[in-house]
Amino acid sequence: MRRPVDLDQDGVVALVLRLSGPAILGISAHALQMLVHAWFVADLGAAAIATIAIAYPVTLLVAALGYGAGIAAASQVARALGAGDRRRADAAAALGFWLSLPAGLAVTAAILIDTPFWLGLLGADAALAEAATPYTALSTLGTALMLVMIVGGFIVRAQGHARLSGAIMMAGFGLNILLDWVLIRVCGLGTAGAGWAAIGAQLAGAGAYGLHFARARGPDRIRFRWPGGRSAAGLLPEALRLAVPATGSSLLAAFAMALFVEAAAPYGDAAVAAQGIALRLTLVAALPLLGMMAGAQAVLGHAAGAGRRDRLHRALFFVLAAALVYGAAVGGLMLALAGPLVGVFAQDSDTAREGARALTVFAAAFVPVGLQLTAATLFQAIAAPRRAAAVSLAAQGLALIPPLLILPPLMGYTGVLASRVAAEILADGLGLVLMLAWLAEARRAGLAAAVEGREAVQVPPTHETAHQGA
């Protein structure tokens, strides 16, 4: 049996690769599932593709709560383990679920009560809202189940169990593909079948995490009660400072996505469908990067908690270099193969033409995306919430809104596409500037994480690794 990872002693590059590998495989399975899902839906026509595109921001509203709580929990768990404080790690893990599940269920209920209202806010006309309501309601219900998967995945990766997280993701997305085929193709349920397929897969994934936590013993056991006592002192305020910006950035992404779809709507269903295809292909291309960031966050946070500036910097530089190389390679491939890629999912010539045009623009903006992703991961890992919030909010939509309001009235549909490029350039530039500023401050102060004011992370002397034998 392969030995467990040693977050204190293993080489940082090997650690990042070993922790990222299962996450990348699992998220790549998600990428495959998304592509197969789009392929099944494409047979239903441009209106069905538009239905999936208009519903996506609604599901993000629920998923945002899980990402915020999961990022906060992973940061706190990794740093607590780095400092050798298992009780604090246990409390932080439980807090992640307490922050996400009640709020997620409340938001889900609000959306289910009047789904057409939410779709109308996203710019859907009465016909599209009526067509999209069944799928949106089902996918929203499934996203509530995904909260358990999101937070559970962050926690087990922070504990060093990346293989478990990857296995659950791969199995869940494989099941989703099977259910898509059965419910869409065999049973002929259309977009409603796609929603039911997602629910089935997410229920299985949430159940797998629930079984793991119920059967866990020793250091992996989580006590699901409100964290209290000295070990949990300050956890809630810090978790909120980390979770609120991350959740806000996801909510902003939903709002920006809605604006993006609404800006394309005057140009017809083919334009909306083209945007949906191009955005999905770009997201699929980014998923392996997100897997690497998930593994890297545990390494960065553990090194910060242990006071190991050398390990923190080595991990940071490796992740940044790997992300930029990946962005250049995959962005170049999407540029070269935009037409054939879109042609797989577009059944009519108008959608194929506009989709290839959109993907070409998005691929060019994808090349430097590693700058914003690495910066956000670093600042989340070391508990620098202001800088993490600045990068995340810019990357997830704040940088998109001004050009989206300015360029389309001046340039028409070309302005819609150009706004995406402008937003990515702004977010990547901000991430680079903040990372360089942090490195300069760290060098001057001699700290692993020199950040301003209340964000300063106190780096203790290197701890003894007593927690490894606990």
Side-chain angles (χ1 to χ4, degrees):
M1 179 179 292
R2 192 175 185 183
R3 69 175 179 83
V5 297
D6 186 336
L7 288 167
D8 289 299
Q9 301 300 327
D10 288 353
V12 292
V13 173
L15 271 176
V16 171
L17 293 175
R18 190 169 174 186
L19 291 177
S20 299
I24 290 172
L25 288 175
I27 291 179
S28 296
H30 186 196
L32 177 62
Q33 180 265 322
M34 290 180 70
L35 291 176
V36 174
H37 178 79
W39 182 63
F40 282 129
V41 172
D43 282 349
L44 304 176
I49 300 174
T51 291
I52 304 300
I54 199 73
Y56 184 61
V58 178
T59 61
L60 281 179
L61 293 175
V62 181
L65 298 168
Y67 283 114
I71 285 169
S75 176
Q76 291 181 319
V77 169
R79 283 181 287 113
L81 291 177
D85 190 344
R86 285 201 176 273
R87 289 190 176 183
R88 187 174 181 84
D90 180 86
L95 182 59
F97 286 104
W98 279 108
L99 286 177
S100 62
L101 290 178
L105 292 173
V107 173
T108 298
I111 296 172
L112 292 177
I113 288 172
D114 193 355
T115 304
F117 167 77
W118 293 92
L119 293 171
L121 290 180
L122 298 176
D125 58 26
L128 182 55
E130 181 180 0
T133 291
Y135 173 81
T136 305
L138 290 170
S139 61
T140 302
L141 182 61
T143 307
L145 295 170
M146 187 175 280
L147 287 174
V148 176
M149 296 180 63
I150 293 171
V151 179
F154 274 108
I155 290 171
V156 299
R157 286 192 295 269
Q159 293 175 314
H161 302 312
R163 295 175 70 185
L164 172 63
S165 174
I168 291 176
M169 284 192 290
M170 292 179 68
F173 297 135
L175 177 60
N176 204 154
I177 292 174
L178 176 62
L179 292 176
D180 270 338
W181 174 72
V182 171
L183 298 178
I184 297 176
R185 285 284 178 83
V186 178
C187 298
L189 296 181
T191 55
W196 282 114
I199 288 178
Q202 289 157 0
L203 181 62
Y209 277 115
L211 182 63
H212 164 73
F213 289 123
R215 298 176 62 181
R217 295 293 181 268
D220 293 331
R221 185 180 181 186
I222 296 175
R223 295 171 177 82
F224 291 97
R225 58 175 182 266
W226 184 257
R230 294 178 59 186
S231 63
L235 272 180
L236 179 58
E238 182 186 74
L240 291 175
R241 288 198 299 271
L242 288 167
V244 169
T247 296
S249 68
S250 295
L251 295 176
L252 183 61
F255 177 68
M257 184 75 71
L259 285 180
F260 203 62
V261 172
E262 188 174 5
Y267 303 95
D269 282 351
V272 176
Q275 296 281 1
I277 292 172
L279 286 170
R280 178 159 293 204
L281 286 169
T282 306
L283 177 60
V284 166
L287 289 176
L289 269 182
L290 298 179
M292 183 172 70
M293 298 302 161
Q297 183 176 351
V299 180
L300 293 167
H302 194 96
R308 294 293 303 275
R309 181 179 63 178
D310 56 334
R311 292 174 67 83
L312 180 64
H313 286 178
R314 282 202 301 273
L316 173 63
F317 294 142
F318 170 73
V319 170
L320 178 59
L324 290 175
V325 169
Y326 177 88
V330 175
L333 284 174
M334 287 195 295
L335 277 168
L337 301 175
L341 285 172
V342 172
V344 174
F345 308 102
Q347 300 300 312
D348 62 273
S349 59
D350 288 342
T351 301
R353 182 180 63 255
E354 293 300 335
R357 181 184 176 192
L359 183 59
T360 299
V361 174
F362 296 170
F366 180 82
V367 172
V369 73
L371 292 171
Q372 57 181 269
L373 292 177
T374 303
T377 301
L378 168 67
F379 296 130
Q380 288 160 354
I382 65 174
R386 294 176 189 169
R387 295 188 179 189
V391 178
S392 295
L393 290 172
Q396 295 294 339
L398 195 60
L400 176 62
I401 293 173
L404 197 55
L405 295 176
I406 296 170
L407 296 180
L410 297 176
M411 305 169 61
Y413 184 64
T414 300
V416 177
L417 301 180
S419 63
R420 182 80 182 187
V421 178
E424 294 295 333
I425 291 174
L426 289 172
D428 291 325
L430 178 62
L432 176 60
V433 168
L434 290 180
M435 278 194 294
L436 291 175
W438 175 81
L439 287 169
E441 292 171 13
R443 190 174 296 111
R444 287 195 301 269
L447 296 175
V451 290
E452 72 274 9
R454 294 175 60 188
E455 290 193 270
V457 178
Q458 300 300 322
V459 181
T462 304
H463 67 282
E464 294 192 11
T465 58
H467 67 278
Q468 297 198 10

